Amino acid sequence: MEDYSQEDWGNHSQDLHGYPTDQELDEIPVTKRTLKIKQESSEEAQKRDIMQNIVQILESVQLKWELFQSWTDFSRLHLSNKLAIFGIGYNTRWKEDIRYHYAEISSQVPLGKRLREYFNSEKPEGRIIMTRVQKMNWKNVYYKFLEITISEARCLELHMEIDWIPIAHSKPTGGNVVQYLLPGGIPKSPGLYAIGYEECIERPLSPHVEQRSLDPGKEGRVDLETLSAQTSLQVEIEPTRITYCYLGIAEVRTLQQCLFLHFQANTKTFSKDWVGINGFLSQNCIVDPGVSPKSIYIKFVEVERDFLSAGSLVECLEKAIGYPLKFNN
């Protein structure tokens, strides 16, 4: 790795970070500047969450760190055309424990090429690593990787990048039966799909709300906020969490056909002996008066049929989410 002068290093720092100057900040209206900061912070938080999820996957499969010696190592045949999840780590002269610097799913670019970018001083990613080693911020640099198939890469994309779509349902017909209303636009092509349901976590009302409703300083007056709090349910609902329960592979049928078969099962012929995802969805259509069915969600991604048979897709998703899928064998 070549040496840089202080002046060169200052220039590289500005190139890498791209922070606006004071003059540029003054020229940006306060409201626009605030929106920009909020947008950037939201994007950074999203990137941080994705990276944390990738690190969790790498840790769950217990891979060993490999010491980086020369970036030409990544030209080796067994790395040149592989897709993989990889991590870059480092330690210091003061602490031998290896910590993560970066983690990524290399699903579009072969692993060998992507790693060379992180260990090549002419690339922005490599320049960061080079300078930290030169300045003795870091002692050694390491890498680890887990090879994945194209279908597994798409499965991880389904989990990390694709939003859930809520499934609407009709009003009860024939007594206590509701019907699912699938959205339009489901592809008539092969791919992967996931089904999940919403969990509302209830916890006791926080003490400060109860104290406010019994404030002795407000006797004889009607506080609308307090009255509303008293007449509402005495629980606080935490943000909902969607739980994965099934991963489907639309290989023989299309995504549209598979989802239709799951959600349009005939509830009149429902039997308690039914098991699996179809039994769960059908039973959810039978509701007691005044009770809404469990909220159901789907997400899907198109994948070429030739790639769907490769990999261990259910295990891949279970590692990514951190718990087993209830209705996958």
Side-chain angles (χ1 to χ4, degrees):
M1 293 184 178
E2 57 182 315
D3 293 328
Y4 284 95
S5 66
Q6 281 296 109
E7 182 179 355
D8 289 338
W9 170 233
N11 292 335
H12 289 310
S13 297
Q14 291 177 6
D15 292 341
L16 286 173
H17 297 293
Y19 291 130
T21 63
D22 292 339
Q23 182 179 356
E24 289 173 334
L25 285 173
D26 291 339
E27 292 173 356
I28 302 175
V30 175
T31 52
K32 288 186 178 180
R33 195 187 311 168
T34 304
L35 289 172
K36 184 178 181 182
I37 291 171
K38 286 183 178 179
Q39 183 179 4
E40 288 176 352
S41 62
S42 176
E43 290 174 356
E44 287 300 317
Q46 186 176 8
K47 289 179 182 178
R48 189 167 55 249
D49 290 343
I50 290 175
M51 180 173 157
Q52 187 176 0
N53 201 176
I54 297 171
V55 168
Q56 173 190 318
I57 296 170
L58 288 171
E59 288 299 298
S60 68
V61 292
Q62 300 178 346
L63 300 168
K64 291 184 178 180
W65 288 104
E66 296 189 38
L67 175 65
F68 163 68
Q69 295 177 335
S70 169
W71 67 269
T72 55
D73 291 345
F74 304 131
S75 300
R76 291 175 295 176
L77 181 62
H78 78 282
L79 291 181
S80 60
N81 60 352
K82 307 290 187 183
L83 300 181
I85 307 171
F86 72 89
I88 306 293
Y90 68 93
N91 62 6
T92 68
R93 293 167 295 115
W94 302 99
K95 191 174 181 180
E96 284 295 327
D97 294 344
I98 302 173
R99 286 148 281 177
Y100 280 88
H101 164 62
Y102 186 73
E104 180 183 299
I105 300 174
S106 184
S107 59
Q108 304 293 331
V109 181
L111 174 63
K113 181 178 179 181
R114 196 71 185 102
L115 282 175
R116 284 198 299 274
E117 292 176 351
Y118 270 89
F119 292 95
N120 185 349
S121 60
E122 295 180 358
K123 300 289 185 179
E125 299 95 333
R127 205 177 303 151
I128 294 174
I129 293 175
M130 174 198 65
T131 53
R132 289 183 179 174
V133 172
Q134 282 185 337
K135 290 176 173 288
M136 298 178 71
N137 302 131
W138 295 353
K139 178 184 175 183
N140 293 316
V141 183
Y142 301 83
Y143 65 95
K144 63 166 64 173
F145 65 91
L146 173 67
E147 184 182 348
I148 57 175
T149 65
I150 291 176
S151 58
E152 288 170 341
R154 298 293 277 167
C155 182
L156 294 172
E157 178 187 338
L158 176 73
H159 169 52
M160 297 183 189
E161 300 181 19
I162 296 178
D163 294 331
W164 287 103
I165 301 171
I167 300 299
H169 53 80
S170 66
K171 292 182 178 180
T173 57
N176 61 342
V177 177
V178 299
Q179 296 289 337
Y180 295 111
L181 305 174
L182 282 173
I186 299 175
K188 298 178 181 179
S189 56
L192 300 172
Y193 61 94
I195 299 175
Y197 59 90
E198 186 178 287
E199 281 189 332
C200 293
I201 303 173
E202 299 182 354
R203 57 188 174 89
L205 198 64
S206 56
H208 73 274
V209 177
E210 294 177 359
Q211 290 172 2
R212 183 177 60 185
S213 64
L214 299 174
D215 188 349
K218 293 185 177 179
E219 289 181 348
R221 291 188 296 165
V222 177
D223 186 335
L224 293 179
E225 289 186 5
T226 302
L227 184 61
S228 176
Q230 288 176 328
T231 55
S232 65
L233 291 174
Q234 295 299 301
V235 293
E236 289 183 1
I237 307 298
E238 293 184 352
T240 56
R241 183 173 71 92
I242 300 172
T243 299
Y244 285 86
C245 63
Y246 185 76
L247 174 67
I249 303 173
E251 186 175 6
V252 178
R253 298 185 176 92
T254 66
L255 287 165
Q256 186 183 80
Q257 289 171 333
C258 288
L259 287 167
F260 182 85
L261 288 172
H262 286 308
F263 285 93
Q264 301 301 322
N266 190 349
T267 53
K268 292 181 181 178
T269 60
F270 170 73
S271 168
K272 290 183 179 180
D273 295 331
W274 282 17
V275 294
I277 186 64
N278 287 351
F280 167 73
L281 293 174
S282 296
Q283 191 170 19
N284 189 52
C285 287
I286 303 172
V287 296
D288 296 326
V291 178
S292 297
K294 193 184 294 288
S295 297
I296 305 294
Y297 295 79
I298 62 170
K299 56 166 66 178
F300 48 81
V301 63
E302 296 178 74
V303 185
E304 290 184 36
R305 183 172 281 107
D306 293 343
F307 301 135
L308 283 169
S309 60
S312 303
L313 297 173
V314 172
E315 292 178 3
C316 172
L317 182 58
E318 287 180 338
K319 285 291 185 183
I321 62 180
Y323 55 88
L325 295 164
K326 188 174 182 179
F327 299 113
N328 283 95
N329 295 326

PDB file of all heavy atoms in Angstrom, residues 45-70:
ATOM      1  N   ALA A  45     -29.919   4.754   9.062  1.00  0.00           N
ATOM      2  CA  ALA A  45     -30.482   3.786  10.007  1.00  0.00           C
ATOM      3  C   ALA A  45     -30.892   2.505   9.292  1.00  0.00           C
ATOM      4  O   ALA A  45     -30.680   1.398   9.807  1.00  0.00           O
ATOM      5  CB  ALA A  45     -31.684   4.394  10.730  1.00  0.00           C
ATOM      6  N   GLN A  46     -31.465   2.651   8.093  1.00  0.00           N
ATOM      7  CA  GLN A  46     -31.871   1.486   7.318  1.00  0.00           C
ATOM      8  C   GLN A  46     -30.653   0.659   6.908  1.00  0.00           C
ATOM      9  O   GLN A  46     -30.662  -0.574   7.010  1.00  0.00           O
ATOM     10  CB  GLN A  46     -32.648   1.924   6.080  1.00  0.00           C
ATOM     11  CG  GLN A  46     -33.241   0.766   5.300  1.00  0.00           C
ATOM     12  CD  GLN A  46     -34.089   1.231   4.124  1.00  0.00           C
ATOM     13  OE1 GLN A  46     -34.119   2.409   3.788  1.00  0.00           O
ATOM     14  NE2 GLN A  46     -34.770   0.308   3.486  1.00  0.00           N
ATOM     15  N   LYS A  47     -29.593   1.349   6.452  1.00  0.00           N
ATOM     16  CA  LYS A  47     -28.361   0.646   6.074  1.00  0.00           C
ATOM     17  C   LYS A  47     -27.759  -0.081   7.274  1.00  0.00           C
ATOM     18  O   LYS A  47     -27.267  -1.200   7.163  1.00  0.00           O
ATOM     19  CB  LYS A  47     -27.346   1.639   5.498  1.00  0.00           C
ATOM     20  CG  LYS A  47     -27.705   2.180   4.116  1.00  0.00           C
ATOM     21  CD  LYS A  47     -26.660   3.176   3.649  1.00  0.00           C
ATOM     22  CE  LYS A  47     -27.014   3.758   2.295  1.00  0.00           C
ATOM     23  NZ  LYS A  47     -26.012   4.783   1.866  1.00  0.00           N
ATOM     24  N   ARG A  48     -27.811   0.576   8.433  1.00  0.00           N
ATOM     25  CA  ARG A  48     -27.257  -0.011   9.653  1.00  0.00           C
ATOM     26  C   ARG A  48     -28.039  -1.264  10.047  1.00  0.00           C
ATOM     27  O   ARG A  48     -27.456  -2.278  10.464  1.00  0.00           O
ATOM     28  CB  ARG A  48     -27.275   1.024  10.774  1.00  0.00           C
ATOM     29  CG  ARG A  48     -26.520   0.599  12.032  1.00  0.00           C
ATOM     30  CD  ARG A  48     -26.302   1.763  12.960  1.00  0.00           C
ATOM     31  NE  ARG A  48     -27.529   2.439  13.322  1.00  0.00           N
ATOM     32  CZ  ARG A  48     -27.856   3.664  12.921  1.00  0.00           C
ATOM     33  NH1 ARG A  48     -27.033   4.347  12.145  1.00  0.00           N
ATOM     34  NH2 ARG A  48     -28.987   4.228  13.292  1.00  0.00           N
ATOM     35  N   ASP A  49     -29.368  -1.210   9.904  1.00  0.00           N
ATOM     36  CA  ASP A  49     -30.203  -2.370  10.239  1.00  0.00           C
ATOM     37  C   ASP A  49     -29.908  -3.546   9.313  1.00  0.00           C
ATOM     38  O   ASP A  49     -29.843  -4.701   9.753  1.00  0.00           O
ATOM     39  CB  ASP A  49     -31.687  -1.999  10.156  1.00  0.00           C
ATOM     40  CG  ASP A  49     -32.115  -1.064  11.271  1.00  0.00           C
ATOM     41  OD1 ASP A  49     -31.377  -0.958  12.272  1.00  0.00           O
ATOM     42  OD2 ASP A  49     -33.173  -0.421  11.127  1.00  0.00           O
ATOM     43  N   ILE A  50     -29.750  -3.251   8.012  1.00  0.00           N
ATOM     44  CA  ILE A  50     -29.456  -4.306   7.045  1.00  0.00           C
ATOM     45  C   ILE A  50     -28.110  -4.942   7.348  1.00  0.00           C
ATOM     46  O   ILE A  50     -27.954  -6.169   7.355  1.00  0.00           O
ATOM     47  CB  ILE A  50     -29.486  -3.752   5.603  1.00  0.00           C
ATOM     48  CG1 ILE A  50     -30.927  -3.400   5.208  1.00  0.00           C
ATOM     49  CG2 ILE A  50     -28.898  -4.752   4.613  1.00  0.00           C
ATOM     50  CD1 ILE A  50     -31.058  -2.737   3.859  1.00  0.00           C
ATOM     51  N   MET A  51     -27.097  -4.091   7.634  1.00  0.00           N
ATOM     52  CA  MET A  51     -25.769  -4.619   7.931  1.00  0.00           C
ATOM     53  C   MET A  51     -25.802  -5.459   9.204  1.00  0.00           C
ATOM     54  O   MET A  51     -25.167  -6.523   9.281  1.00  0.00           O
ATOM     55  CB  MET A  51     -24.766  -3.474   8.077  1.00  0.00           C
ATOM     56  CG  MET A  51     -23.359  -3.952   8.386  1.00  0.00           C
ATOM     57  SD  MET A  51     -22.160  -2.619   8.362  1.00  0.00           S
ATOM     58  CE  MET A  51     -20.877  -3.313   9.404  1.00  0.00           C
ATOM     59  N   GLN A  52     -26.556  -5.019  10.194  1.00  0.00           N
ATOM     60  CA  GLN A  52     -26.666  -5.777  11.440  1.00  0.00           C
ATOM     61  C   GLN A  52     -27.296  -7.146  11.180  1.00  0.00           C
ATOM     62  O   GLN A  52     -26.892  -8.154  11.767  1.00  0.00           O
ATOM     63  CB  GLN A  52     -27.498  -4.983  12.447  1.00  0.00           C
ATOM     64  CG  GLN A  52     -27.537  -5.601  13.837  1.00  0.00           C
ATOM     65  CD  GLN A  52     -28.288  -4.722  14.831  1.00  0.00           C
ATOM     66  OE1 GLN A  52     -28.790  -3.652  14.490  1.00  0.00           O
ATOM     67  NE2 GLN A  52     -28.377  -5.169  16.059  1.00  0.00           N
ATOM     68  N   ASN A  53     -28.279  -7.188  10.288  1.00  0.00           N
ATOM     69  CA  ASN A  53     -28.925  -8.449   9.933  1.00  0.00           C
ATOM     70  C   ASN A  53     -27.942  -9.381   9.216  1.00  0.00           C
ATOM     71  O   ASN A  53     -27.916 -10.596   9.466  1.00  0.00           O
ATOM     72  CB  ASN A  53     -30.132  -8.176   9.035  1.00  0.00           C
ATOM     73  CG  ASN A  53     -31.151  -9.309   9.033  1.00  0.00           C
ATOM     74  OD1 ASN A  53     -32.196  -9.206   8.419  1.00  0.00           O
ATOM     75  ND2 ASN A  53     -30.846 -10.408   9.699  1.00  0.00           N
ATOM     76  N   ILE A  54     -27.102  -8.814   8.338  1.00  0.00           N
ATOM     77  CA  ILE A  54     -26.109  -9.619   7.618  1.00  0.00           C
ATOM     78  C   ILE A  54     -25.070 -10.169   8.592  1.00  0.00           C
ATOM     79  O   ILE A  54     -24.667 -11.335   8.502  1.00  0.00           O
ATOM     80  CB  ILE A  54     -25.441  -8.779   6.511  1.00  0.00           C
ATOM     81  CG1 ILE A  54     -26.483  -8.360   5.471  1.00  0.00           C
ATOM     82  CG2 ILE A  54     -24.319  -9.568   5.835  1.00  0.00           C
ATOM     83  CD1 ILE A  54     -25.973  -7.350   4.460  1.00  0.00           C
ATOM     84  N   VAL A  55     -24.635  -9.335   9.535  1.00  0.00           N
ATOM     85  CA  VAL A  55     -23.682  -9.790  10.555  1.00  0.00           C
ATOM     86  C   VAL A  55     -24.287 -10.936  11.360  1.00  0.00           C
ATOM     87  O   VAL A  55     -23.615 -11.924  11.670  1.00  0.00           O
ATOM     88  CB  VAL A  55     -23.280  -8.621  11.474  1.00  0.00           C
ATOM     89  CG1 VAL A  55     -22.529  -9.129  12.702  1.00  0.00           C
ATOM     90  CG2 VAL A  55     -22.414  -7.619  10.712  1.00  0.00           C
ATOM     91  N   GLN A  56     -25.569 -10.821  11.687  1.00  0.00           N
ATOM     92  CA  GLN A  56     -26.259 -11.875  12.440  1.00  0.00           C
ATOM     93  C   GLN A  56     -26.235 -13.198  11.676  1.00  0.00           C
ATOM     94  O   GLN A  56     -26.017 -14.268  12.269  1.00  0.00           O
ATOM     95  CB  GLN A  56     -27.712 -11.448  12.682  1.00  0.00           C
ATOM     96  CG  GLN A  56     -28.589 -12.517  13.315  1.00  0.00           C
ATOM     97  CD  GLN A  56     -30.063 -12.128  13.298  1.00  0.00           C
ATOM     98  OE1 GLN A  56     -30.422 -10.989  13.560  1.00  0.00           O
ATOM     99  NE2 GLN A  56     -30.916 -13.075  12.956  1.00  0.00           N
ATOM    100  N   ILE A  57     -26.414 -13.126  10.351  1.00  0.00           N
ATOM    101  CA  ILE A  57     -26.381 -14.342   9.537  1.00  0.00           C
ATOM    102  C   ILE A  57     -24.977 -14.945   9.553  1.00  0.00           C
ATOM    103  O   ILE A  57     -24.798 -16.148   9.752  1.00  0.00           O
ATOM    104  CB  ILE A  57     -26.813 -14.030   8.088  1.00  0.00           C
ATOM    105  CG1 ILE A  57     -28.262 -13.551   8.059  1.00  0.00           C
ATOM    106  CG2 ILE A  57     -26.659 -15.269   7.204  1.00  0.00           C
ATOM    107  CD1 ILE A  57     -28.696 -13.005   6.712  1.00  0.00           C
ATOM    108  N   LEU A  58     -23.956 -14.101   9.344  1.00  0.00           N
ATOM    109  CA  LEU A  58     -22.576 -14.589   9.338  1.00  0.00           C
ATOM    110  C   LEU A  58     -22.202 -15.231  10.677  1.00  0.00           C
ATOM    111  O   LEU A  58     -21.534 -16.260  10.728  1.00  0.00           O
ATOM    112  CB  LEU A  58     -21.621 -13.437   9.019  1.00  0.00           C
ATOM    113  CG  LEU A  58     -21.629 -12.935   7.574  1.00  0.00           C
ATOM    114  CD1 LEU A  58     -20.802 -11.662   7.448  1.00  0.00           C
ATOM    115  CD2 LEU A  58     -21.107 -14.001   6.619  1.00  0.00           C
ATOM    116  N   GLU A  59     -22.649 -14.620  11.772  1.00  0.00           N
ATOM    117  CA  GLU A  59     -22.337 -15.163  13.093  1.00  0.00           C
ATOM    118  C   GLU A  59     -23.085 -16.470  13.360  1.00  0.00           C
ATOM    119  O   GLU A  59     -22.578 -17.352  14.043  1.00  0.00           O
ATOM    120  CB  GLU A  59     -22.684 -14.129  14.167  1.00  0.00           C
ATOM    121  CG  GLU A  59     -21.733 -12.937  14.208  1.00  0.00           C
ATOM    122  CD  GLU A  59     -20.311 -13.348  14.519  1.00  0.00           C
ATOM    123  OE1 GLU A  59     -20.077 -13.892  15.609  1.00  0.00           O
ATOM    124  OE2 GLU A  59     -19.432 -13.149  13.648  1.00  0.00           O
ATOM    125  N   SER A  60     -24.280 -16.596  12.817  1.00  0.00           N
ATOM    126  CA  SER A  60     -25.096 -17.780  13.096  1.00  0.00           C
ATOM    127  C   SER A  60     -24.532 -19.042  12.454  1.00  0.00           C
ATOM    128  O   SER A  60     -24.816 -20.154  12.909  1.00  0.00           O
ATOM    129  CB  SER A  60     -26.534 -17.561  12.616  1.00  0.00           C
ATOM    130  OG  SER A  60     -26.591 -17.495  11.196  1.00  0.00           O
ATOM    131  N   VAL A  61     -23.737 -18.878  11.392  1.00  0.00           N
ATOM    132  CA  VAL A  61     -23.163 -20.057  10.732  1.00  0.00           C
ATOM    133  C   VAL A  61     -21.720 -20.304  11.167  1.00  0.00           C
ATOM    134  O   VAL A  61     -21.062 -21.212  10.662  1.00  0.00           O
ATOM    135  CB  VAL A  61     -23.240 -19.935   9.190  1.00  0.00           C
ATOM    136  CG1 VAL A  61     -24.679 -19.998   8.740  1.00  0.00           C
ATOM    137  CG2 VAL A  61     -22.602 -18.651   8.695  1.00  0.00           C
ATOM    138  N   GLN A  62     -21.216 -19.508  12.087  1.00  0.00           N
ATOM    139  CA  GLN A  62     -19.931 -19.733  12.758  1.00  0.00           C
ATOM    140  C   GLN A  62     -18.766 -19.914  11.771  1.00  0.00           C
ATOM    141  O   GLN A  62     -18.084 -20.934  11.757  1.00  0.00           O
ATOM    142  CB  GLN A  62     -20.022 -20.942  13.691  1.00  0.00           C
ATOM    143  CG  GLN A  62     -21.071 -20.763  14.781  1.00  0.00           C
ATOM    144  CD  GLN A  62     -21.199 -21.978  15.675  1.00  0.00           C
ATOM    145  OE1 GLN A  62     -20.705 -23.045  15.362  1.00  0.00           O
ATOM    146  NE2 GLN A  62     -21.870 -21.806  16.803  1.00  0.00           N
ATOM    147  N   LEU A  63     -18.560 -18.905  10.958  1.00  0.00           N
ATOM    148  CA  LEU A  63     -17.444 -18.916  10.000  1.00  0.00           C
ATOM    149  C   LEU A  63     -16.176 -18.408  10.673  1.00  0.00           C
ATOM    150  O   LEU A  63     -16.231 -17.584  11.587  1.00  0.00           O
ATOM    151  CB  LEU A  63     -17.775 -18.028   8.795  1.00  0.00           C
ATOM    152  CG  LEU A  63     -19.013 -18.421   7.994  1.00  0.00           C
ATOM    153  CD1 LEU A  63     -19.381 -17.297   7.035  1.00  0.00           C
ATOM    154  CD2 LEU A  63     -18.780 -19.704   7.229  1.00  0.00           C
ATOM    155  N   LYS A  64     -15.036 -18.879  10.201  1.00  0.00           N
ATOM    156  CA  LYS A  64     -13.753 -18.423  10.734  1.00  0.00           C
ATOM    157  C   LYS A  64     -13.229 -17.234   9.929  1.00  0.00           C
ATOM    158  O   LYS A  64     -13.386 -17.180   8.711  1.00  0.00           O
ATOM    159  CB  LYS A  64     -12.728 -19.563  10.711  1.00  0.00           C
ATOM    160  CG  LYS A  64     -13.036 -20.679  11.692  1.00  0.00           C
ATOM    161  CD  LYS A  64     -11.925 -21.728  11.675  1.00  0.00           C
ATOM    162  CE  LYS A  64     -12.201 -22.837  12.689  1.00  0.00           C
ATOM    163  NZ  LYS A  64     -11.121 -23.862  12.688  1.00  0.00           N
ATOM    164  N   TRP A  65     -12.606 -16.298  10.610  1.00  0.00           N
ATOM    165  CA  TRP A  65     -11.970 -15.165   9.947  1.00  0.00           C
ATOM    166  C   TRP A  65     -10.692 -15.628   9.242  1.00  0.00           C
ATOM    167  O   TRP A  65      -9.954 -16.457   9.762  1.00  0.00           O
ATOM    168  CB  TRP A  65     -11.613 -14.078  10.949  1.00  0.00           C
ATOM    169  CG  TRP A  65     -12.770 -13.312  11.506  1.00  0.00           C
ATOM    170  CD1 TRP A  65     -13.313 -13.444  12.749  1.00  0.00           C
ATOM    171  CD2 TRP A  65     -13.514 -12.288  10.858  1.00  0.00           C
ATOM    172  NE1 TRP A  65     -14.359 -12.577  12.915  1.00  0.00           N
ATOM    173  CE2 TRP A  65     -14.500 -11.841  11.756  1.00  0.00           C
ATOM    174  CE3 TRP A  65     -13.451 -11.698   9.588  1.00  0.00           C
ATOM    175  CZ2 TRP A  65     -15.410 -10.838  11.451  1.00  0.00           C
ATOM    176  CZ3 TRP A  65     -14.357 -10.695   9.271  1.00  0.00           C
ATOM    177  CH2 TRP A  65     -15.323 -10.277  10.186  1.00  0.00           C
ATOM    178  N   GLU A  66     -10.441 -15.084   8.061  1.00  0.00           N
ATOM    179  CA  GLU A  66      -9.210 -15.353   7.331  1.00  0.00           C
ATOM    180  C   GLU A  66      -8.393 -14.059   7.261  1.00  0.00           C
ATOM    181  O   GLU A  66      -8.932 -12.991   6.960  1.00  0.00           O
ATOM    182  CB  GLU A  66      -9.512 -15.854   5.916  1.00  0.00           C
ATOM    183  CG  GLU A  66     -10.233 -17.198   5.892  1.00  0.00           C
ATOM    184  CD  GLU A  66     -10.322 -17.773   4.491  1.00  0.00           C
ATOM    185  OE1 GLU A  66      -9.349 -17.621   3.720  1.00  0.00           O
ATOM    186  OE2 GLU A  66     -11.368 -18.357   4.159  1.00  0.00           O
ATOM    187  N   LEU A  67      -7.099 -14.169   7.555  1.00  0.00           N
ATOM    188  CA  LEU A  67      -6.215 -13.006   7.548  1.00  0.00           C
ATOM    189  C   LEU A  67      -5.955 -12.553   6.116  1.00  0.00           C
ATOM    190  O   LEU A  67      -5.583 -13.346   5.259  1.00  0.00           O
ATOM    191  CB  LEU A  67      -4.900 -13.343   8.240  1.00  0.00           C
ATOM    192  CG  LEU A  67      -3.817 -12.249   8.221  1.00  0.00           C
ATOM    193  CD1 LEU A  67      -4.277 -11.027   9.011  1.00  0.00           C
ATOM    194  CD2 LEU A  67      -2.512 -12.802   8.772  1.00  0.00           C
ATOM    195  N   PHE A  68      -6.153 -11.249   5.866  1.00  0.00           N
ATOM    196  CA  PHE A  68      -5.865 -10.706   4.548  1.00  0.00           C
ATOM    197  C   PHE A  68      -4.358 -10.514   4.403  1.00  0.00           C
ATOM    198  O   PHE A  68      -3.714  -9.918   5.257  1.00  0.00           O
ATOM    199  CB  PHE A  68      -6.569  -9.360   4.366  1.00  0.00           C
ATOM    200  CG  PHE A  68      -6.028  -8.547   3.225  1.00  0.00           C
ATOM    201  CD1 PHE A  68      -6.217  -8.972   1.912  1.00  0.00           C
ATOM    202  CD2 PHE A  68      -5.303  -7.392   3.460  1.00  0.00           C
ATOM    203  CE1 PHE A  68      -5.701  -8.231   0.869  1.00  0.00           C
ATOM    204  CE2 PHE A  68      -4.796  -6.653   2.414  1.00  0.00           C
ATOM    205  CZ  PHE A  68      -4.990  -7.068   1.116  1.00  0.00           C
ATOM    206  N   GLN A  69      -3.821 -11.024   3.291  1.00  0.00           N
ATOM    207  CA  GLN A  69      -2.394 -10.859   3.031  1.00  0.00           C
ATOM    208  C   GLN A  69      -2.142 -10.095   1.740  1.00  0.00           C
ATOM    209  O   GLN A  69      -1.356  -9.154   1.720  1.00  0.00           O
ATOM    210  CB  GLN A  69      -1.713 -12.237   2.977  1.00  0.00           C
ATOM    211  CG  GLN A  69      -1.755 -12.955   4.322  1.00  0.00           C
ATOM    212  CD  GLN A  69      -1.155 -14.342   4.274  1.00  0.00           C
ATOM    213  OE1 GLN A  69      -1.122 -14.965   3.220  1.00  0.00           O
ATOM    214  NE2 GLN A  69      -0.682 -14.819   5.421  1.00  0.00           N
ATOM    215  N   SER A  70      -2.803 -10.478   0.670  1.00  0.00           N
ATOM    216  CA  SER A  70      -2.640  -9.781  -0.608  1.00  0.00           C
ATOM    217  C   SER A  70      -3.957  -9.839  -1.367  1.00  0.00           C
ATOM    218  O   SER A  70      -4.598 -10.887  -1.424  1.00  0.00           O
ATOM    219  CB  SER A  70      -1.539 -10.440  -1.438  1.00  0.00           C
ATOM    220  OG  SER A  70      -1.548  -9.943  -2.757  1.00  0.00           O
TER     221      SER A  70
END
